[in-house]
């Protein structure tokens, strides 16, 4: 039962602490759009998306007015396009990318995710064609996001796919060099990708999902930081309780918005993703939460432990607020999108090795990290392999979204603007992993994958 205090507290969170619904994402299955004629398939894809999502943006805007809750993004995720492309006589996946862009323009959404392939155990029909087309697809569109799942705890890691993705990331940067290398900022390489993720760039609509569904992603780093700041002398157990209670309130707001959107659109409600998704806005930072916990700067010794505390407390608080928690759900650490992470990286305190350690205890992985433009594809593949192994061994989702900054070197800055922010070019280790990556094959699944 809501009381006056709860209502006023929520208003304060929205006005002063950057509380928002980061996204409502409509997942749409395209399996019934499959056709051997690619032009007919594209027509079916377009018609289904614009029919199902015709009122998505308008509904989000109505909910914003009704509850006074900012909804930053309205998005769509679709069945991995490699599956739809597989049935076509002419495998020209870029046609699907252009169709998705046309649908995004018609519906007015911020992004469509699902230009994706799932190749954790090998390549099936349509996968290689789609993966090889990613640089062109991302360069010719503005609202399309792409993802490739290269491994899982049950299957191991497809090292041939890892090797290929290093080249694709590098090519995506080069082909969009005139636009601040924006291509790879819309490309994620996953291990243990989930089917109901509402966050871009990694969202796709899994084959186990309903025909159409609404998923919600909430966000509130500023709210959590403000709550922690009220208890400067609390011990760790007390702070964990404070974060849990705050996460509960944030998630209840997401549950409310998701249920209302489901009702208005006549579409089933799927999940609330309770991830703490930061922005470059002052105060809306996961790094600042860690510093409020007692770290002088994010990235120093103790950062991984503080992040583990935060991530665990957020999950525990969220699962009490909604029976349908899903997606990624935890704390995101995208360097270019988090004001505190940007500052720590620019000062040299936060480095790639520490970020990699932090990914073992938080959501996703090495996210929105800018690397020197001269980085060879084999080194990018090695970064992907390292991160995928963390996900595989720990039975969690990890991902890599790195941006080779063409023409820039360590210490330079790449500017994206908006929610994508900016970031310094980070230092990588010297030395080559090319021979290791070139071996190919499949990195075996860990022993605990055999658990039936």
């Amino acid at each position: 039962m809501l009381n006056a205090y709860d209502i006023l507290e929520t208003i304060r969170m929205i006005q002063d602490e950057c509380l928002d619904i980061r996204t409502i994402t409509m997942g749409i299955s395209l399996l019934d759009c499959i056709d051997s004629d690619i032009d007919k398939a594209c027509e079916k894809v377009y018609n289904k998306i614009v029919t199902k999502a015709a009122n998505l943006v308008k509904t989000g805007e109505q909910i914003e007015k009704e509850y006074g809750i900012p909804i930053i993004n309205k998005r769509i995720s679709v069945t991995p396009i490699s599956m739809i492309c597989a049935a076509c006589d002419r495998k020209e996946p870029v046609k699907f990318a252009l169709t998705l862009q046309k649908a995004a323009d018609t519906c007015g959404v911020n992004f469509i995710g699902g230009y994706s392939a799932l190749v954790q155990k090998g390549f099936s029909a349509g996968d290689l064609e789609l993966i090889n087309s990613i640089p062109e697809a991302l360069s010719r569109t503005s609202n399309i996001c792409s993802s490739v799942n290269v491994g899982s705890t049950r299957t191991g890691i497809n090292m041939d796919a890892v090797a290929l993705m290093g080249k694709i990331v590098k090519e995506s940067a080069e082909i969009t060099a005139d636009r601040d290398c924006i291509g790879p900022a819309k490309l994620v390489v996953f291990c243990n990708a989930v089917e109901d993720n509402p966050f871009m760039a990694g969202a796709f609509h899994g084959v186990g999902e309903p025909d159409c569904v609404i998923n919600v992603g909430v966000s509130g780093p500023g709210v959590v930081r403000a709550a922690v700041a009220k208890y400067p002398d609390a011990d760790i157990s007390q702070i964990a309780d404070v974060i849990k209670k705050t996460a509960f309130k944030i998630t209840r707001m997401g549950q409310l918005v998701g249920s209302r959107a489901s009702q208005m659109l006549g579409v089933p409600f799927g999940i609330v993703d309770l991830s703490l998704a930061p922005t470059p806005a002052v105060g809306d930072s996961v790094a600042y939460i860690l510093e409020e916990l007692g770290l002088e700067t994010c990235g120093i010794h103790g950062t991984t432990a503080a992040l583990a505390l935060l991530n665990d407390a957020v999950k525990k608080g969220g699962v009490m607020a909604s029976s349908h928690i899903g997606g990624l759900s935890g704390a995101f650490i995208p360097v270019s999108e988090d004001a505190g992470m940007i500052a720590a990286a620019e000062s040299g305190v936060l480095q790639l090795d520490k970020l990699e350690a932090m990914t073992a205890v938080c959501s996703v992985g090495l996210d929105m990290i800018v690397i020197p433009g001269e980085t060879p594809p084999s080194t990018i593949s090695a970064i992907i392999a390292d991160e995928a192994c963390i996900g595989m061994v720990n039975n969690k989702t990890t991902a890599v979204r790195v941006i080779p900054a063409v023409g820039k070197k360590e210490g330079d800055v790449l500017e994206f603007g908006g929610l994508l922010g900016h970031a310094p070019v980070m230092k990588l280790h010297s030395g080559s992993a090319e021979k290791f990556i070139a071996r190919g094959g499949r990195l075996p699944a860990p022993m605990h994958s055999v658990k039936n």
Side-chain angles (χ1 to χ4, degrees):
M1 192 74 179
L2 289 175
N3 57 39
Y5 175 79
D6 292 327
I7 295 169
L8 291 171
E9 183 181 38
T10 302
I11 292 171
R12 189 192 71 250
M13 289 176 177
I14 293 169
Q15 291 180 341
D16 301 334
E17 297 166 5
C18 301
L19 177 61
D20 59 50
I21 297 294
R22 186 53 47 85
T23 178
I24 54 171
T25 301
M26 176 178 281
I28 302 173
S29 172
L30 301 181
L31 293 177
D32 56 348
C33 300
I34 288 174
D35 198 296
S36 59
D37 185 316
I38 191 169
D39 294 320
K40 290 182 179 177
C42 286
E43 182 180 0
K44 292 178 182 178
V45 165
Y46 175 80
N47 289 337
K48 183 163 188 182
I49 292 173
V50 300
T51 299
K52 292 288 186 181
N55 295 317
L56 177 62
V57 173
K58 182 172 70 175
T59 297
E61 292 170 347
Q62 289 177 346
I63 293 172
E64 286 183 278
K65 293 176 182 176
E66 185 174 335
Y67 294 122
I69 299 170
I71 300 175
I72 306 303
N73 292 292
K74 294 83 177 175
R75 299 165 169 169
I76 296 169
S77 63
V78 298
T79 305
I81 291 297
S82 66
M83 297 180 181
I84 313 304
C85 186
C88 298
D89 293 333
R90 291 181 293 121
K91 292 178 174 55
E92 304 172 60
V94 173
K95 283 194 171 186
F96 285 107
L98 297 176
T99 299
L100 294 178
Q101 181 62 55
K102 181 181 175 184
D105 292 338
T106 301
C107 297
V109 295
N110 303 97
F111 289 107
I112 290 186
Y115 198 76
S116 307
L118 311 179
V119 296
Q120 56 267 26
K121 207 170 182 180
F123 304 101
S124 60
D127 288 336
L128 281 172
E129 287 84 356
L130 182 128
I131 292 172
N132 284 315
S133 77
I134 287 172
E136 181 185 356
L138 295 181
S139 72
R140 295 181 63 184
T141 60
S142 55
N143 300 86
I144 306 307
C145 291
S146 180
S147 59
V148 177
N149 191 65
V150 298
S152 76
T153 300
R154 292 302 301 268
T155 65
I157 298 170
N158 180 351
M159 292 299 291
D160 293 319
V162 169
L164 178 56
M165 288 312 300
K167 298 173 184 175
I168 295 299
V169 170
K170 184 69 178 284
E171 186 180 344
S172 296
E174 291 172 342
I175 203 171
T176 57
D178 60 331
R179 286 160 281 169
D180 295 311
C181 305
I182 192 65
K186 299 183 290 180
L187 171 60
V188 179
V189 186
F190 276 117
C191 178
N192 289 322
V194 297
E195 296 190 326
D196 56 2
N197 168 25
F199 283 102
M200 300 297 170
F204 64 87
H205 188 70
V207 295
E209 292 288 296
D211 185 64
C212 189
V213 68
I214 286 290
N215 297 319
V216 173
V218 298
S219 180
V223 176
V224 174
R225 181 196 182 194
V228 172
K230 295 173 184 175
Y231 299 89
D233 300 318
D235 66 25
I236 294 297
S237 297
Q238 292 168 330
I239 283 295
D241 283 338
V242 168
I243 296 172
K244 283 190 291 184
K245 290 173 183 176
T246 306
F248 176 89
K249 295 172 185 176
I250 295 170
T251 308
R252 288 301 287 175
M253 188 180 75
Q255 175 80 23
L256 172 67
V257 169
S259 299
R260 184 69 176 125
S262 169
Q263 179 187 47
M264 294 173 68
L265 290 165
V267 172
F269 171 57
I271 58 93
V272 177
D273 186 320
L274 51 89
S275 298
L276 293 180
T279 73
V282 175
D284 200 25
S285 164
V286 169
Y288 290 161
I289 301 174
L290 304 182
E291 291 168 9
E292 198 67 59
L293 289 171
L295 302 177
E296 183 176 349
T297 305
C298 178
I300 65 171
H301 300 300
T303 299
T304 305
L307 184 59
L309 162 68
L310 173 64
N311 206 57
D312 178 69
V314 165
K315 289 177 185 289
K316 287 175 177 173
V319 296
M320 286 296 292
S322 174
S323 297
H324 300 289
I325 296 297
L328 301 168
S329 289
F332 287 2
I333 52 172
V335 173
S336 78
E337 300 175 15
D338 184 306
M341 296 287 176
I342 294 169
E346 287 177 334
S347 71
V349 175
L350 183 62
Q351 299 182 357
L352 194 65
D353 287 346
K354 189 60 179 179
L355 281 163
E356 184 178 294
M358 292 163 68
T359 65
V361 300
C362 74
S363 294
V364 198
L366 296 172
D367 196 17
M368 289 302 292
I369 292 171
V370 182
I371 60 177
E374 62 192 19
T375 304
S378 59
T379 298
I380 299 172
S381 294
I383 293 170
I384 293 170
D386 284 345
E387 193 61 30
C389 282
I390 290 175
M392 178 185 73
V393 171
N394 290 290
N395 197 25
K396 69 185 293 292
T397 302
T398 53
V400 171
R401 184 163 49 150
V402 294
I403 300 97
V406 176
K408 295 183 183 293
K409 59 185 185 300
E410 179 192 340
D412 292 340
V413 174
L414 198 60
E415 294 277 357
F416 298 109
L419 285 176
L420 294 179
H422 71 278
V425 179
M426 299 189 74
K427 181 180 179 180
L428 300 182
H429 290 293
S430 58
S432 173
E434 186 169 0
K435 184 175 180 180
F436 174 68
I437 296 300
R439 288 180 180 273
R442 186 147 55 94
L443 198 154
M447 188 64 196
H448 57 261
S449 69
V450 186
K451 58 183 180 182
N452 283 341

